[in-house]
Amino acid sequence: QRWMDAITTFFFPALSAELRVTRIGRATNQMTFSWAAANGVRLQKATNLAAPNWSDVLSSFNASNATESLVGSGAFYRLTKP
């Protein structure tokens, strides 16, 4: 797990059982996040928690997984449902 600590920090607030990441996987230079699909749920990321600017991860809206590149700077992730 050292590679995860060095590359990316993950932040998943426990809002409800419905919004729980069930799996995080890594393959080469990509990270895959999985969760139980639900209407309106999306994965978001921010590069700073002091003044977060959350943006949707593409293709995560109403999905049950999303894949992000590990190339570049670290990020914080959360599941959200408006």
Side-chain angles (χ1 to χ4, degrees):
Q1 289 209 357
R2 266 188 326 159
W3 57 267
M4 191 181 299
D5 296 335
I7 297 172
T8 306
T9 302
F10 301 97
F11 174 68
F12 297 108
L15 300 177
S16 73
E18 182 178 309
L19 296 179
R20 182 175 35 172
V21 172
T22 57
R23 184 176 184 281
I24 300 173
R26 179 180 185 258
T28 314
N29 290 330
Q30 295 184 327
M31 186 73 68
T32 300
F33 304 88
S34 301
W35 59 89
N39 286 338
V41 173
R42 67 193 74 186
L43 184 68
Q44 294 185 325
K45 69 179 179 180
T47 57
N48 179 335
L49 289 182
N53 181 19
W54 295 103
S55 61
D56 292 343
V57 171
L58 297 177
S59 74
S60 70
F61 185 69
N62 288 338
S64 61
N65 62 63
T67 300
E68 280 281 281
S69 173
L70 291 176
V71 177
S73 61
F76 298 90
Y77 293 89
R78 71 178 183 180
L79 285 176
T80 186
K81 182 177 180 178

